[in-house]
Amino acid sequence: QVRLVESGGGLVQPGGSLRLSCAASEALTGIMSMAWYRQAPGKQRELVASIGPNGRANYKDFVKGRFTISRDSAKSTVALQMNTLMPVDTAVYYCYMIGPRRIWGAQYECWGQGTQVTVSS
């Protein structure tokens, strides 16, 4: 079964930076979109950024200019560079990948288990 594993989370002071990475447990072919979501305590999971198969990235307004999403399709990885972090960025961050159902089958959507990012005051 394919698994996504996040890394790079941790504790950082306001204004600091972190780089999150996510790798699939096996090489995946035909990955469509990759994305990062986050969920803060008491709040719903929300989209942070996504990147399509052609490398076009989309960001939510609250991270524009601070976060950068990137992908390496050959390595089945996606990363999120987070700069100028603020306390409101504190959340569990999840990576996501979606591929063609004809090839991937029932598991055409894959989620990581999350990595904690804490921005201290």
Side-chain angles (χ1 to χ4, degrees):
Q1 185 176 18
V2 176
R3 293 175 295 173
L4 302 184
V5 181
E6 301 100 336
S7 62
L11 175 65
V12 65
Q13 295 183 349
S17 299
L18 285 174
R19 182 178 177 84
L20 305 182
S21 296
C22 175
S25 60
E26 63 184 64
L28 299 176
T29 59
I31 300 173
M32 299 302 292
S33 295
M34 301 182 181
W36 286 94
Y37 288 76
R38 71 185 186 187
Q39 186 169 21
K43 295 186 177 181
Q44 296 182 350
R45 185 175 299 186
E46 63 182 354
L47 176 67
V48 176
S50 64
I51 184 167
N54 293 324
R56 181 178 294 275
N58 297 283
Y59 302 93
K60 287 295 185 179
D61 289 341
F62 54 80
V63 301
K64 283 185 176 179
R66 300 190 298 122
F67 292 9
T68 302
I69 187 171
S70 60
R71 64 185 283 169
D72 188 334
S73 297
K75 296 181 179 180
S76 300
T77 60
V78 60
L80 184 69
Q81 178 66 45
M82 304 185 293
N83 299 325
T84 319
L85 284 163
M86 302 181 293
V88 295
D89 295 318
T90 296
V92 177
Y93 284 71
Y94 301 87
C95 65
Y96 168 88
M97 299 182 188
I98 184 171
R101 281 177 284 183
R102 271 178 24 88
I103 301 175
W104 293 16
Q107 199 182 9
Y108 69 96
E109 292 182 299
C110 301
W111 288 91
Q113 294 189 22
T115 184
Q116 177 70 48
V117 172
T118 302
V119 185
S120 65
S121 59

